[in-house]
Amino acid sequence: MAENRFEDGILLMHTDRFEEAVEFFKSFVEADPSDVEAWYKLAVAYLGAGRLDEGRASAERAVELKPDDPELLDLLGGILSLKNDDEGALEYFDRAIEARPDHVRGWISKVMTLRNLDRIEEAKEAYGRGVEQAPSLRDPEEWNDLAGAIYDRGDFQATIDFLDFMLDLEPEEQSYKFNKLGPLSKLKRYDAVADLAEELVEEMPDFVPGWMVRGIALLGMERYEEAVESFDRAILLDPTNAEAREMKIRTLEYLKEVKKG
């Protein structure tokens, strides 16, 4: 699909000028009602503008014109999810997967929707089947992006729950463990942070961020001597680490005050 003819409209969306983008893409579908890609882009522009019903109608028109396109089917399913019709969304995600069994986005959408419906075992089974069809589904990058989006909403417990779900699926994936540290810290669950950081540095002894997080968590728990040991390890691994040196100095000052008292 040629993108250059839509370049100006895409730029409008990238700069959050969605209403202008709507008008831009509408001109294409009005000129040629059989232009599938224009209907797709129009649906995305409507979504950005918060006009879900019109976005759905545009996506439905695109699917009518090209019923076996997994990208279109996934888009329409995503719109139904936004409209709180997860059961209806699953039908389109299944159609996207049927049209192209290795369609990673369709599998991700299906797994996430099943999880949102609290159909956890079905979500895990879908993930397993998806990995068989599309091995790149196991790549943690997109899953971590999804966790990041939850975190950015400020829902730290939901972030932890999501990463725990992913760890049930991929217990050895270190990035899921590391990304749990942020929301745990936000909730001031320093004991859990220290335990998880300890697990990470045991598995990856040269992992400087793990030693830093462990030290900060121990500092929050007023376990100053252990915190100093963590910062020392970080300095040993990275002698240029100014933050580790600063945290060690600060921790030693706290320790001195405690011994005075």
Side-chain angles (χ1 to χ4, degrees):
M1 295 181 180
E3 293 285 353
N4 58 336
R5 65 195 178 109
F6 296 136
E7 185 176 348
D8 290 341
I10 293 169
L11 179 61
L12 289 169
M13 290 195 288
H14 284 169
T15 54
D16 295 333
R17 295 156 64 186
F18 291 105
E19 292 293 351
E20 293 176 65
V22 164
E23 295 306 315
F24 179 88
F25 292 117
K26 276 175 68 176
S27 69
F28 282 90
V29 300
E30 288 168 356
D32 180 4
S34 66
D35 190 336
V36 176
E37 183 67 2
W39 281 111
Y40 174 83
K41 291 288 194 294
L42 179 58
V44 174
Y46 274 131
L47 281 182
R51 296 161 65 174
L52 292 185
D53 289 334
E54 290 155 299
R56 175 180 179 175
S58 296
E60 286 176 338
R61 179 60 179 146
V63 169
E64 287 173 8
L65 292 166
K66 200 171 182 181
D68 294 324
D69 187 309
E71 298 295 333
L72 300 177
L73 293 164
D74 186 73
L75 173 64
L76 185 48
I79 293 171
L80 291 175
S81 283
L82 289 172
K83 290 179 65 63
N84 299 314
D85 182 6
D86 285 328
E87 294 291 352
L90 279 173
E91 295 181 20
Y92 284 100
F93 299 144
D94 281 335
R95 283 179 58 183
I97 292 165
E98 184 179 357
R100 201 175 86 201
D102 65 347
H103 188 242
V104 173
R105 185 68 247 175
W107 284 108
I108 289 173
S109 298
K110 178 170 183 174
V111 170
M112 289 295 291
T113 303
L114 287 168
R115 181 182 176 276
N116 290 340
L117 288 168
D118 206 27
R119 291 159 59 178
I120 303 301
E121 291 307 314
E122 289 178 73
K124 291 179 180 178
E125 290 171 10
Y127 180 84
R129 293 197 306 274
V131 168
E132 292 175 2
Q133 298 291 334
S136 60
L137 183 64
R138 184 168 271 139
D139 187 336
E141 183 175 355
E142 188 144 13
W143 300 106
N144 279 319
D145 285 346
L146 291 168
I150 301 170
Y151 180 88
D152 289 342
R153 296 201 304 262
D155 197 338
F156 304 127
Q157 185 57 53
T159 308
I160 294 165
D161 292 343
F162 176 73
L163 289 166
D164 280 339
F165 170 75
M166 293 310 303
L167 281 165
D168 281 343
L169 298 171
E170 301 289 350
E172 302 306 315
E173 180 50 54
Q174 307 290 5
S175 65
Y176 299 147
K177 296 178 183 179
F178 183 72
N179 284 331
K180 272 184 67 178
L181 295 171
L184 285 169
S185 296
K186 287 288 187 181
L187 294 174
K188 301 187 185 305
R189 292 172 56 185
Y190 298 126
D191 54 343
V193 174
D195 288 345
L196 185 53
E198 179 74 29
E199 182 180 335
L200 283 166
V201 297
E202 283 179 0
E203 295 169 354
M204 300 182 293
D206 296 338
F207 187 47
V208 174
W211 288 107
M212 288 296 297
V213 172
R214 179 179 182 271
I216 292 168
L218 291 167
L219 179 58
M221 297 165 67
E222 300 182 0
R223 290 162 58 180
Y224 300 123
E225 292 181 352
E226 293 170 86
V228 169
E229 291 173 3
S230 285
F231 297 133
D232 274 339
R233 187 59 178 267
I235 294 166
L236 179 65
L237 292 168
D238 178 11
T240 66
N241 192 327
E243 182 184 5
R245 292 182 182 280
E246 181 182 340
M247 293 303 298
K248 177 183 176 179
I249 291 169
R250 187 182 305 175
T251 307
L252 287 171
E253 289 173 354
Y254 292 146
L255 185 57
K256 189 185 296 183
E257 290 298 319
V258 168
K259 289 182 176 179
K260 280 182 181 178

